[in-house]
Amino acid sequence: MKDRIDFLLLSILKEENATSSYLAMTIKEMPLQDIDRSIRSIQLHMKKLIKLNFVKEGLIEGHSRTYYITEVGLKELEV
């Protein structure tokens, strides 16, 4: 992981206990006050984190995707 935003997003998912598809959260539910980026930019970072297997998509909520941190993502935060 090279980007501070990626680290912050993983930290948010961990702190909010979004660790399974049932506990996953939408981007709008995330406390993003420390991240000065657009929703679109956050979505692109989430796509990158999914490709790295740090994050997975959870259950759909309405028309929104939800996200949760994986075991690989949790281990990446420890490094």
Side-chain angles (χ1 to χ4, degrees):
M1 180 171 43
K2 300 178 186 176
D3 199 325
R4 178 177 177 266
I5 303 300
D6 297 336
F7 174 79
L8 290 173
L9 290 171
L10 290 176
S11 296
I12 288 169
L13 291 172
K14 180 183 177 187
E15 288 171 13
E16 296 294 322
N17 200 34
T19 56
S20 73
S21 63
Y22 297 109
L23 299 172
M25 57 193 319
T26 65
I27 290 172
K28 290 184 178 182
E29 292 173 326
M30 294 180 192
L32 299 173
Q33 59 271 19
D34 293 337
I35 303 176
D36 187 25
R37 301 292 167 109
S38 68
I39 295 292
R40 181 65 184 140
S41 175
I42 300 295
Q43 289 170 333
L44 293 174
H45 280 276
M46 291 305 244
K47 277 188 172 185
K48 180 174 83 171
L49 292 171
I50 288 170
K51 286 182 182 178
L52 294 169
N53 199 32
F54 295 161
V55 170
K56 287 190 177 180
E57 286 188 14
L59 300 173
I60 299 293
E61 185 169 316
H63 295 290
S64 300
R65 296 171 192 251
T66 63
Y67 303 94
Y68 66 97
I69 190 168
T70 64
E71 289 296 322
V72 176
L74 289 169
K75 287 179 184 174
E76 181 68 18
L77 282 177
E78 294 173 4
V79 174

Coordinates of all heavy atoms in Angstrom, one line a residue:
M1 N 0.9 -1.2 0.0 CA 0.0 0.0 0.0 C 0.9 1.2 0.0 O 1.8 1.4 0.8 CB -0.9 -0.1 1.2 CG -1.8 1.1 1.4 SD -3.0 0.8 2.7 CE -2.0 0.2 4.1
K2 N 0.7 2.1 -0.9 CA 1.5 3.3 -1.1 C 0.9 4.6 -0.7 O 1.5 5.6 -0.5 CB 2.0 3.4 -2.5 CG 2.7 2.2 -3.0 CD 3.1 2.5 -4.5 CE 3.7 1.2 -5.1 NZ 4.0 1.3 -6.5
D3 N -0.4 4.6 -0.6 CA -1.2 5.9 -0.4 C -1.7 6.1 1.0 O -2.3 5.1 1.6 CB -2.3 5.8 -1.4 CG -2.9 7.2 -1.8 OD1 -2.9 8.0 -0.9 OD2 -3.3 7.4 -2.9
R4 N -1.6 7.3 1.5 CA -2.2 7.6 2.8 C -3.7 7.4 2.8 O -4.2 6.9 3.8 CB -1.8 9.0 3.2 CG -2.4 9.5 4.5 CD -1.9 10.9 4.8 NE -2.5 11.4 6.0 CZ -3.6 12.1 6.1 NH1 -4.2 12.4 5.0 NH2 -4.1 12.4 7.3
I5 N -4.3 7.7 1.8 CA -5.8 7.6 1.7 C -6.2 6.1 1.8 O -7.1 5.8 2.6 CB -6.4 8.1 0.3 CG1 -6.0 9.6 0.2 CG2 -7.9 7.9 0.2 CD1 -6.5 10.5 1.2
D6 N -5.4 5.2 1.2 CA -5.7 3.8 1.4 C -5.6 3.4 2.8 O -6.5 2.6 3.3 CB -4.8 3.0 0.5 CG -4.9 3.2 -1.0 OD1 -6.0 3.7 -1.4 OD2 -3.9 3.0 -1.7
F7 N -4.5 3.8 3.5 CA -4.4 3.5 4.9 C -5.5 4.0 5.7 O -6.0 3.3 6.6 CB -3.0 4.1 5.4 CG -2.8 3.9 6.9 CD1 -2.4 2.7 7.4 CD2 -3.1 4.9 7.7 CE1 -2.2 2.5 8.8 CE2 -2.9 4.8 9.1 CZ -2.5 3.6 9.6
L8 N -6.0 5.3 5.5 CA -7.1 5.8 6.2 C -8.4 5.1 6.0 O -9.1 4.8 6.9 CB -7.2 7.3 5.8 CG -6.2 8.3 6.3 CD1 -6.4 9.7 5.7 CD2 -6.1 8.3 7.8
L9 N -8.6 4.7 4.7 CA -9.8 3.9 4.4 C -9.8 2.6 5.2 O -10.9 2.2 5.8 CB -10.0 3.7 2.9 CG -10.3 5.0 2.2 CD1 -10.3 4.7 0.7 CD2 -11.7 5.5 2.5
L10 N -8.7 1.9 5.2 CA -8.6 0.6 5.9 C -8.8 0.8 7.4 O -9.5 0.0 8.0 CB -7.3 -0.1 5.6 CG -7.0 -0.6 4.2 CD1 -5.6 -1.2 4.1 CD2 -8.1 -1.7 3.8
S11 N -8.2 1.9 7.9 CA -8.3 2.2 9.3 C -9.8 2.4 9.7 O -10.3 2.0 10.7 CB -7.5 3.4 9.7 OG -6.1 3.1 9.5
I12 N -10.5 3.2 8.9 CA -11.9 3.5 9.1 C -12.7 2.2 9.1 O -13.5 2.0 10.1 CB -12.5 4.5 8.1 CG1 -11.9 5.9 8.3 CG2 -14.0 4.5 8.1 CD1 -12.2 6.8 7.2
L13 N -12.5 1.3 8.2 CA -13.3 0.1 8.1 C -13.0 -0.8 9.4 O -13.9 -1.4 9.9 CB -12.9 -0.7 6.9 CG -13.5 -0.1 5.6 CD1 -12.9 -0.9 4.4 CD2 -15.0 -0.1 5.5
K14 N -11.7 -0.8 9.8 CA -11.4 -1.5 11.0 C -12.0 -0.9 12.2 O -12.6 -1.6 13.0 CB -9.9 -1.6 11.2 CG -9.4 -2.4 12.4 CD -7.9 -2.3 12.6 CE -7.6 -3.0 13.9 NZ -6.1 -2.9 14.2
E15 N -11.9 0.4 12.4 CA -12.5 1.1 13.6 C -14.0 1.0 13.6 O -14.5 0.9 14.7 CB -12.0 2.5 13.6 CG -10.6 2.8 13.9 CD -10.2 4.2 13.6 OE1 -11.0 5.1 13.5 OE2 -8.9 4.4 13.6
E16 N -14.6 0.9 12.5 CA -16.1 0.8 12.5 C -16.6 -0.6 12.5 O -17.7 -0.9 12.3 CB -16.6 1.5 11.2 CG -16.4 3.0 11.2 CD -17.1 3.8 12.3 OE1 -18.3 3.5 12.5 OE2 -16.5 4.7 12.8
N17 N -15.6 -1.5 12.7 CA -15.9 -3.0 12.8 C -16.6 -3.5 11.5 O -17.4 -4.4 11.6 CB -16.8 -3.3 14.0 CG -16.7 -4.7 14.4 OD1 -15.7 -5.4 14.2 ND2 -17.8 -5.3 14.9
A18 N -16.2 -3.0 10.3 CA -16.7 -3.5 9.1 C -15.8 -4.6 8.6 O -14.9 -4.4 7.8 CB -16.8 -2.4 8.0
T19 N -16.1 -5.8 9.2 CA -15.2 -6.9 9.0 C -15.8 -8.1 8.3 O -15.2 -9.2 8.3 CB -14.5 -7.4 10.3 OG1 -15.6 -7.6 11.3 CG2 -13.6 -6.3 10.9
S20 N -17.1 -8.0 7.9 CA -17.7 -9.1 7.2 C -18.8 -8.5 6.3 O -19.1 -7.3 6.3 CB -18.4 -10.0 8.2 OG -19.6 -9.4 8.7
S21 N -19.3 -9.3 5.4 CA -20.3 -8.8 4.4 C -21.5 -8.3 5.1 O -22.2 -7.4 4.6 CB -20.6 -9.9 3.4 OG -21.2 -11.0 4.0
Y22 N -21.9 -8.8 6.2 CA -23.0 -8.3 7.0 C -22.8 -7.0 7.7 O -23.7 -6.3 8.0 CB -23.5 -9.4 8.0 CG -23.9 -10.7 7.3 CD1 -23.1 -11.8 7.5 CD2 -25.1 -10.7 6.6 CE1 -23.5 -13.0 6.9 CE2 -25.5 -11.9 6.0 CZ -24.7 -13.0 6.1 OH -25.1 -14.2 5.5
L23 N -21.5 -6.8 8.1 CA -21.2 -5.5 8.8 C -20.6 -4.5 7.9 O -20.2 -3.4 8.3 CB -20.2 -5.9 9.9 CG -20.7 -6.8 11.0 CD1 -19.5 -7.2 11.9 CD2 -21.8 -6.2 11.8
A24 N -20.6 -4.7 6.6 CA -20.0 -3.8 5.6 C -20.7 -2.5 5.6 O -21.9 -2.4 6.0 CB -20.1 -4.4 4.2
M25 N -20.1 -1.4 5.2 CA -20.7 -0.1 5.2 C -20.5 0.6 3.8 O -19.5 0.3 3.1 CB -20.1 0.7 6.3 CG -18.6 0.9 6.3 SD -17.9 1.6 7.9 CE -19.0 2.8 8.4
T26 N -21.4 1.5 3.6 CA -21.3 2.3 2.3 C -20.3 3.4 2.5 O -19.9 3.7 3.7 CB -22.7 2.9 2.0 OG1 -23.0 3.9 3.0 CG2 -23.8 1.9 1.8
I27 N -19.9 4.0 1.5 CA -18.9 5.1 1.5 C -19.6 6.3 2.3 O -18.9 6.9 3.1 CB -18.5 5.6 0.1 CG1 -17.6 4.5 -0.4 CG2 -17.7 6.9 0.2 CD1 -17.2 4.7 -1.9
K28 N -20.9 6.5 2.1 CA -21.6 7.6 2.8 C -21.7 7.4 4.3 O -21.8 8.3 5.0 CB -22.9 7.8 2.2 CG -22.9 8.4 0.8 CD -24.2 8.7 0.2 CE -24.1 9.4 -1.2 NZ -25.4 9.7 -1.7
E29 N -21.6 6.2 4.7 CA -21.7 5.8 6.1 C -20.3 6.0 6.8 O -20.3 6.1 8.1 CB -22.2 4.4 6.4 CG -23.6 4.2 6.0 CD -24.0 2.7 6.1 OE1 -23.1 1.8 5.8 OE2 -25.2 2.4 6.4
M30 N -19.3 6.1 6.1 CA -17.9 6.2 6.6 C -17.7 7.6 7.1 O -18.0 8.5 6.5 CB -16.9 5.8 5.6 CG -16.9 4.4 5.2 SD -15.6 4.1 3.9 CE -16.1 2.5 3.4
P31 N -17.0 7.7 8.3 CA -16.6 9.0 8.8 C -15.4 9.5 8.0 O -14.3 9.1 8.3 CB -16.3 8.8 10.3 CG -16.0 7.3 10.4 CD -16.7 6.7 9.3
L32 N -15.6 10.3 7.0 CA -14.5 10.7 6.1 C -14.0 12.1 6.3 O -13.4 12.7 5.4 CB -15.0 10.5 4.6 CG -15.4 9.1 4.2 CD1 -16.0 9.1 2.8 CD2 -14.2 8.2 4.2
Q33 N -14.2 12.7 7.5 CA -13.8 14.0 7.7 C -12.3 14.3 7.6 O -11.9 15.4 7.2 CB -14.3 14.6 9.1 CG -13.9 13.8 10.2 CD -14.8 12.6 10.6 OE1 -15.6 12.2 9.8 NE2 -14.6 12.1 11.8
D34 N -11.5 13.2 7.8 CA -10.1 13.4 7.6 C -9.6 13.2 6.2 O -8.4 13.3 5.9 CB -9.3 12.4 8.5 CG -9.6 12.6 10.0 OD1 -9.9 13.8 10.3 OD2 -9.4 11.7 10.8
I35 N -10.5 12.8 5.3 CA -10.1 12.6 3.9 C -10.8 13.6 3.0 O -12.0 13.7 2.9 CB -10.6 11.2 3.5 CG1 -9.9 10.1 4.4 CG2 -10.2 10.9 2.0 CD1 -10.4 8.7 4.1
D36 N -9.9 14.5 2.5 CA -10.4 15.6 1.6 C -10.5 15.1 0.1 O -9.6 15.6 -0.7 CB -9.6 16.8 1.8 CG -10.1 18.0 1.1 OD1 -11.4 18.1 0.9 OD2 -9.3 18.9 0.7
R37 N -11.3 14.2 -0.2 CA -11.5 13.7 -1.5 C -12.9 13.5 -1.9 O -13.8 13.4 -1.0 CB -10.8 12.3 -1.6 CG -9.4 12.2 -1.3 CD -8.6 12.9 -2.3 NE -7.2 13.1 -1.9 CZ -6.2 12.5 -2.4 NH1 -6.3 11.6 -3.3 NH2 -5.0 12.7 -1.9
S38 N -13.2 13.5 -3.2 CA -14.6 13.4 -3.6 C -15.0 11.9 -3.5 O -14.2 11.0 -3.3 CB -14.7 13.7 -5.1 OG -14.0 12.8 -5.9
I39 N -16.3 11.7 -3.5 CA -16.9 10.3 -3.4 C -16.3 9.5 -4.6 O -15.9 8.3 -4.4 CB -18.4 10.3 -3.5 CG1 -19.0 11.0 -2.3 CG2 -19.0 8.9 -3.6 CD1 -18.8 10.3 -1.0
R40 N -16.2 10.0 -5.8 CA -15.6 9.3 -6.9 C -14.2 8.9 -6.7 O -13.8 7.8 -7.0 CB -15.7 10.2 -8.2 CG -15.2 9.5 -9.4 CD -16.1 8.3 -9.8 NE -15.5 7.6 -10.9 CZ -15.4 6.3 -11.0 NH1 -16.0 5.5 -10.1 NH2 -14.9 5.7 -12.1
S41 N -13.4 9.8 -6.1 CA -12.0 9.4 -5.7 C -12.0 8.3 -4.7 O -11.2 7.4 -4.9 CB -11.3 10.7 -5.2 OG -10.0 10.4 -4.8
I42 N -12.8 8.4 -3.7 CA -12.9 7.3 -2.7 C -13.3 6.0 -3.4 O -12.7 4.9 -3.1 CB -13.9 7.6 -1.6 CG1 -13.5 8.9 -0.9 CG2 -14.1 6.5 -0.6 CD1 -12.2 8.9 -0.1
Q43 N -14.2 6.0 -4.3 CA -14.6 4.8 -5.0 C -13.4 4.2 -5.8 O -13.3 3.0 -5.8 CB -15.8 5.1 -6.0 CG -17.1 5.4 -5.4 CD -18.1 5.9 -6.3 OE1 -17.8 6.5 -7.4 NE2 -19.4 5.7 -6.0
L44 N -12.6 5.0 -6.4 CA -11.5 4.5 -7.1 C -10.4 3.9 -6.2 O -9.8 2.9 -6.5 CB -10.8 5.7 -7.9 CG -11.7 6.2 -9.1 CD1 -11.0 7.4 -9.7 CD2 -11.9 5.1 -10.1
H45 N -10.3 4.5 -5.0 CA -9.4 3.9 -4.0 C -9.9 2.6 -3.5 O -9.1 1.6 -3.3 CB -9.2 4.9 -2.8 CG -8.2 5.9 -3.1 ND1 -6.9 5.8 -2.9 CD2 -8.4 7.2 -3.5 CE1 -6.2 6.9 -3.2 NE2 -7.2 7.8 -3.6
M46 N -11.2 2.5 -3.4 CA -11.8 1.2 -2.9 C -11.6 0.1 -4.0 O -11.3 -1.0 -3.6 CB -13.3 1.4 -2.6 CG -13.5 2.2 -1.4 SD -12.7 1.6 0.1 CE -14.1 1.2 1.1
K47 N -11.8 0.5 -5.3 CA -11.5 -0.5 -6.3 C -10.1 -1.0 -6.3 O -9.8 -2.2 -6.4 CB -11.8 0.2 -7.7 CG -13.2 0.2 -8.1 CD -13.3 0.6 -9.5 CE -14.7 0.5 -10.0 NZ -14.9 0.8 -11.4
K48 N -9.1 -0.1 -6.0 CA -7.7 -0.5 -5.9 C -7.6 -1.5 -4.7 O -6.9 -2.5 -4.8 CB -6.8 0.7 -5.8 CG -5.4 0.4 -5.6 CD -4.5 1.6 -5.7 CE -4.4 2.2 -4.3 NZ -3.4 3.3 -4.2
L49 N -8.2 -1.1 -3.6 CA -8.0 -2.0 -2.4 C -8.7 -3.3 -2.6 O -8.2 -4.3 -2.1 CB -8.7 -1.3 -1.2 CG -7.9 0.0 -0.7 CD1 -8.7 0.7 0.3 CD2 -6.5 -0.4 -0.2
I50 N -9.8 -3.4 -3.4 CA -10.4 -4.7 -3.7 C -9.4 -5.5 -4.5 O -9.3 -6.7 -4.3 CB -11.7 -4.5 -4.4 CG1 -12.8 -3.9 -3.4 CG2 -12.2 -5.7 -5.1 CD1 -14.1 -3.4 -4.1
K51 N -8.8 -4.9 -5.5 CA -7.8 -5.6 -6.4 C -6.7 -6.2 -5.6 O -6.1 -7.3 -5.9 CB -7.3 -4.7 -7.5 CG -8.3 -4.5 -8.6 CD -7.7 -3.7 -9.7 CE -8.8 -3.4 -10.7 NZ -8.3 -2.6 -11.8
L52 N -6.3 -5.5 -4.5 CA -5.2 -5.9 -3.6 C -5.7 -6.9 -2.6 O -4.9 -7.4 -1.8 CB -4.5 -4.7 -2.9 CG -3.8 -3.7 -3.8 CD1 -3.5 -2.5 -3.0 CD2 -2.6 -4.4 -4.4
N53 N -7.0 -7.2 -2.6 CA -7.6 -8.1 -1.6 C -7.6 -7.6 -0.2 O -7.6 -8.4 0.8 CB -7.0 -9.5 -1.7 CG -7.9 -10.6 -1.1 OD1 -9.1 -10.4 -1.1 ND2 -7.3 -11.6 -0.5
F54 N -7.5 -6.3 0.0 CA -7.5 -5.7 1.3 C -8.9 -5.4 1.7 O -9.2 -5.3 2.9 CB -6.7 -4.4 1.3 CG -5.2 -4.5 1.1 CD1 -4.5 -3.4 0.8 CD2 -4.6 -5.7 1.3 CE1 -3.1 -3.5 0.6 CE2 -3.2 -5.9 1.1 CZ -2.5 -4.8 0.7
V55 N -9.8 -5.3 0.7 CA -11.2 -4.9 1.0 C -12.1 -5.8 0.1 O -11.6 -6.2 -1.0 CB -11.5 -3.4 0.7 CG1 -13.0 -3.1 0.6 CG2 -10.8 -2.5 1.6
K56 N -13.3 -6.1 0.5 CA -14.2 -6.8 -0.3 C -15.6 -6.1 -0.3 O -15.8 -5.3 0.6 CB -14.4 -8.3 0.1 CG -13.3 -9.2 -0.1 CD -13.6 -10.6 0.1 CE -12.4 -11.5 -0.3 NZ -12.7 -12.9 0.0
E57 N -16.4 -6.3 -1.3 CA -17.7 -5.8 -1.3 C -18.6 -6.6 -0.5 O -18.5 -7.9 -0.5 CB -18.3 -5.7 -2.7 CG -17.6 -4.6 -3.5 CD -18.3 -4.4 -4.9 OE1 -19.4 -4.9 -5.1 OE2 -17.7 -3.7 -5.7
G58 N -19.5 -6.0 0.3 CA -20.4 -6.7 1.1 C -21.8 -6.7 0.5 O -21.9 -6.6 -0.8
L59 N -22.8 -6.9 1.3 CA -24.2 -6.9 0.8 C -24.6 -5.5 0.2 O -24.1 -4.5 0.8 CB -25.1 -7.3 1.9 CG -24.9 -8.7 2.5 CD1 -25.8 -8.9 3.7 CD2 -25.1 -9.8 1.5
I60 N -25.4 -5.5 -0.8 CA -25.9 -4.2 -1.4 C -26.9 -3.6 -0.4 O -27.7 -4.3 0.2 CB -26.5 -4.5 -2.7 CG1 -25.5 -5.1 -3.7 CG2 -27.2 -3.2 -3.3 CD1 -24.4 -4.2 -4.1
E61 N -26.8 -2.3 -0.2 CA -27.7 -1.5 0.6 C -28.4 -0.5 -0.3 O -27.8 0.5 -0.7 CB -27.0 -0.9 1.7 CG -28.0 -0.2 2.7 CD -27.3 0.3 3.9 OE1 -26.5 -0.5 4.5 OE2 -27.6 1.4 4.4
G62 N -29.6 -0.8 -0.7 CA -30.3 0.0 -1.6 C -29.7 -0.1 -3.0 O -29.5 -1.1 -3.6
H63 N -29.2 1.1 -3.5 CA -28.4 1.1 -4.7 C -26.9 1.3 -4.5 O -26.2 1.5 -5.4 CB -28.9 2.3 -5.6 CG -30.3 2.1 -6.0 ND1 -30.7 1.1 -6.9 CD2 -31.5 2.7 -5.7 CE1 -32.0 1.2 -7.1 NE2 -32.5 2.1 -6.4
S64 N -26.5 1.2 -3.2 CA -25.1 1.5 -2.9 C -24.4 0.2 -2.6 O -24.9 -0.8 -2.0 CB -25.1 2.4 -1.6 OG -25.7 3.6 -1.8
R65 N -23.1 0.2 -2.9 CA -22.2 -0.9 -2.6 C -21.7 -0.7 -1.2 O -21.6 0.4 -0.7 CB -21.0 -0.9 -3.5 CG -21.3 -1.1 -5.0 CD -20.1 -0.9 -5.8 NE -20.5 -0.9 -7.2 CZ -20.2 -1.8 -8.1 NH1 -19.5 -2.8 -7.7 NH2 -20.6 -1.7 -9.3
T66 N -21.4 -1.8 -0.5 CA -20.9 -1.7 0.8 C -19.5 -2.4 0.8 O -19.2 -3.2 -0.1 CB -21.8 -2.4 1.9 OG1 -21.9 -3.8 1.6 CG2 -23.1 -1.8 1.9
Y67 N -18.7 -2.1 1.8 CA -17.3 -2.5 1.8 C -16.9 -3.0 3.2 O -17.4 -2.4 4.2 CB -16.3 -1.4 1.3 CG -16.7 -0.9 0.0 CD1 -17.5 0.2 -0.2 CD2 -16.2 -1.5 -1.2 CE1 -17.8 0.8 -1.4 CE2 -16.5 -1.0 -2.4 CZ -17.3 0.1 -2.5 OH -17.6 0.6 -3.8
Y68 N -16.0 -4.0 3.2 CA -15.5 -4.4 4.5 C -14.0 -4.8 4.3 O -13.6 -5.1 3.3 CB -16.3 -5.5 5.2 CG -16.2 -6.8 4.4 CD1 -15.4 -7.9 4.8 CD2 -17.1 -7.1 3.3 CE1 -15.4 -9.1 4.1 CE2 -17.1 -8.3 2.7 CZ -16.2 -9.3 3.1 OH -16.2 -10.5 2.4
I69 N -13.3 -4.7 5.4 CA -11.8 -5.0 5.4 C -11.7 -6.5 5.6 O -12.4 -7.2 6.3 CB -11.1 -4.2 6.5 CG1 -9.6 -4.4 6.3 CG2 -11.6 -4.7 7.9 CD1 -8.8 -3.4 7.2
T70 N -10.7 -7.1 4.8 CA -10.4 -8.5 4.9 C -9.3 -8.8 5.9 O -8.7 -7.9 6.4 CB -10.0 -9.0 3.5 OG1 -8.7 -8.4 3.2 CG2 -11.0 -8.8 2.4
E71 N -9.0 -10.1 6.1 CA -7.9 -10.5 7.0 C -6.6 -9.9 6.4 O -5.7 -9.5 7.2 CB -7.8 -12.0 7.2 CG -9.0 -12.6 8.0 CD -8.9 -12.1 9.4 OE1 -7.8 -11.9 10.0 OE2 -10.0 -11.9 10.0
V72 N -6.5 -10.0 5.1 CA -5.3 -9.5 4.4 C -5.1 -8.0 4.7 O -4.0 -7.5 5.0 CB -5.3 -9.7 2.9 CG1 -4.1 -9.1 2.2 CG2 -5.4 -11.2 2.7
G73 N -6.2 -7.2 4.6 CA -6.2 -5.8 4.9 C -5.9 -5.5 6.4 O -5.1 -4.6 6.7
L74 N -6.4 -6.3 7.3 CA -6.0 -6.1 8.7 C -4.6 -6.4 8.9 O -3.9 -5.6 9.7 CB -6.9 -7.1 9.6 CG -8.4 -6.8 9.7 CD1 -9.1 -7.9 10.3 CD2 -8.6 -5.5 10.4
K75 N -4.0 -7.4 8.3 CA -2.6 -7.6 8.4 C -1.7 -6.5 7.8 O -0.7 -6.2 8.4 CB -2.2 -9.0 7.8 CG -2.7 -10.2 8.6 CD -2.3 -11.5 7.9 CE -2.9 -12.6 8.7 NZ -2.7 -13.9 8.1
E76 N -2.2 -5.9 6.7 CA -1.5 -4.8 6.1 C -1.4 -3.6 7.0 O -0.4 -2.9 7.1 CB -2.2 -4.4 4.8 CG -1.5 -3.3 4.1 CD -0.1 -3.6 3.5 OE1 0.2 -4.8 3.3 OE2 0.6 -2.7 3.2
L77 N -2.5 -3.4 7.8 CA -2.5 -2.3 8.8 C -1.4 -2.5 9.9 O -0.9 -1.5 10.5 CB -3.8 -2.1 9.4 CG -4.9 -1.4 8.6 CD1 -6.2 -1.4 9.3 CD2 -4.5 0.0 8.2
E78 N -1.1 -3.7 10.2 CA -0.2 -4.0 11.3 C 1.3 -3.8 10.9 O 2.1 -3.6 11.7 CB -0.3 -5.5 11.7 CG -1.6 -5.8 12.4 CD -1.8 -7.3 12.6 OE1 -0.9 -8.1 12.4 OE2 -2.9 -7.7 13.1
V79 N 1.5 -3.8 9.6 CA 2.9 -3.6 9.1 C 3.4 -2.2 9.3 O 2.7 -1.2 9.3 CB 3.0 -4.0 7.6 CG1 4.3 -3.7 7.0 CG2 2.6 -5.4 7.4

